[in-house]
Amino acid sequence: LDKSGVFAVKAVKMEKIMNKDNKNAVKEPKIGMNELCLLLGSSPNSVRNYDAHQAINSRRKENGYRFYYFNDVQQAIKLKSLIRLGFSIEEAKSMCLTSSIDMVYHKFDSKADELQNEITSLTNQLNYLKSLQQDLKDLEALKGNFIIEQRPALYWLQCQSEDEIIKYKENQEMLRQWTQFFPFVESCPRLPIENLNEYSNAEMGLGLKEEFVKMLDFKDLSNCIYYPSTQCIKTVIKANV
């Protein structure tokens, strides 16, 4: 055989060897929808939602059923983990598909700031709830008694003028802002000390402790009255309801 003939024989032999190896190769298993849902702890609807956003690639069997490979499972686990951290499907998809470490880092950094703000807010709510519990414990002890206590500094928003609720536009705008922050904003009636010895209705208003102003990011307190911290008499009076 000439040189080209030798190469031709070798090429045929190599092709036979490769075909033999392919037959003996372990095929990657196909994972069905139910199996994927089991691995994710998710419902079929959630997986279909990933598919709809093209966040994972499903394939179809001849009977039309979806199937996946192990790479798809890894992708789906990453997606669900990121979604559990508060990212949207689109955000999670972009982070899984990108090759930019900087982009993912900045996404994580932004989410960390967001979670920290939520933690701060929840911590303040917890502390406020505990203060209400303490007030309830003090109720019985204060009936018919009084103590001298340091009242915190607060801002007071007038809601009533004589016998009518204030209807000025600027006050309504301020009122709308304040009412977004219950329970930190509280009902705070005001009764001038000169009226204590005669029958008089208290003026309706809302109170906001100074310590909460920064936390709630109040922008405008120009229409409010500021009362600095001072010593006050604290007691409990049964209301006639």
Side-chain angles (χ1 to χ4, degrees):
L1 296 173
D2 59 18
K3 194 172 183 179
S4 60
V6 172
F7 282 132
V9 171
K10 287 184 177 179
V12 171
K13 286 183 177 179
M14 183 62 69
E15 183 179 352
K16 289 181 179 179
I17 292 171
M18 290 176 66
N19 287 337
K20 184 178 178 181
D21 288 342
N22 286 337
K23 289 179 181 178
N24 294 331
V26 178
K27 291 184 178 180
E28 186 176 357
K30 296 175 181 178
I31 299 168
M33 171 68 81
N34 290 337
E35 295 167 313
L36 180 59
C37 290
L38 182 63
L39 289 168
L40 289 177
S42 299
S43 68
N45 284 339
S46 295
V47 175
R48 292 189 192 101
N49 197 27
Y50 296 164
D51 261 345
H53 284 82
Q54 298 181 332
I56 57 174
N57 295 320
S58 65
R59 299 144 183 95
R60 297 279 184 170
K61 296 180 181 179
E62 291 180 359
N63 58 12
Y65 289 128
R66 288 181 173 90
F67 73 90
Y68 306 87
Y69 290 122
F70 275 117
N71 283 344
D72 303 315
V73 176
Q74 297 300 319
Q75 178 86 335
I77 290 173
K78 290 177 185 176
L79 282 166
K80 183 168 182 178
S81 298
L82 291 169
I83 290 168
R84 282 284 182 88
L85 286 171
F87 294 101
S88 67
I89 291 180
E90 286 298 327
E91 288 175 320
K93 171 187 169 182
S94 67
M95 284 187 282
C96 287
L97 297 179
T98 187
S99 59
S100 171
I101 294 175
D102 285 342
M103 187 274 268
V104 176
Y105 181 88
H106 288 306
K107 286 279 188 183
F108 284 170
D109 197 41
S110 177
K111 181 58 67 176
D113 288 342
E114 184 181 321
L115 290 174
Q116 185 57 60
N117 289 335
E118 289 181 17
I119 290 169
T120 301
S121 177
L122 289 172
T123 300
N124 287 324
Q125 290 179 51
L126 178 61
N127 291 337
Y128 184 80
L129 188 59
K130 288 181 177 180
S131 73
L132 293 178
Q133 287 180 303
Q134 187 59 49
D135 288 342
L136 290 175
K137 288 181 180 180
D138 293 341
L139 282 177
E140 289 299 323
L142 284 174
K143 283 182 179 177
N145 300 307
F146 67 88
I147 58 173
I148 305 297
E149 186 173 89
Q150 190 73 19
R151 176 185 54 71
L154 60 85
Y155 291 88
W156 188 76
L157 178 65
Q158 185 178 8
C159 300
Q160 177 184 351
S161 178
E162 297 180 350
D163 294 328
E164 291 187 354
I165 299 298
I166 291 177
K167 297 184 176 67
Y168 303 122
K169 184 176 180 180
E170 59 271 19
N171 290 83
Q172 290 181 357
E173 291 297 326
M174 181 71 73
L175 188 59
R176 270 191 284 270
Q177 181 188 3
W178 278 54
T179 55
Q180 299 303 308
F181 294 107
F182 294 133
F184 299 106
V185 168
E186 302 176 88
S187 173
C188 188
R190 183 181 69 169
L191 182 61
I193 192 169
E194 59 268 18
N195 295 344
L196 287 178
N197 294 326
E198 59 184 64
Y199 178 80
S200 177
N201 289 326
E203 294 177 291
M204 176 60 194
L206 296 176
L208 174 66
K209 294 177 183 176
E210 187 176 35
E211 63 185 287
F212 295 138
V213 170
K214 184 177 180 181
M215 178 195 79
L216 299 175
D217 195 25
F218 268 77
K219 301 297 186 185
D220 183 14
L221 294 166
S222 58
N223 290 338
C224 306
I225 299 174
Y226 177 73
Y227 291 98
S229 177
T230 187
Q231 284 193 330
C232 290
I233 297 173
K234 182 177 180 179
T235 187
V236 174
I237 301 172
K238 185 176 180 180
N240 293 321
V241 181

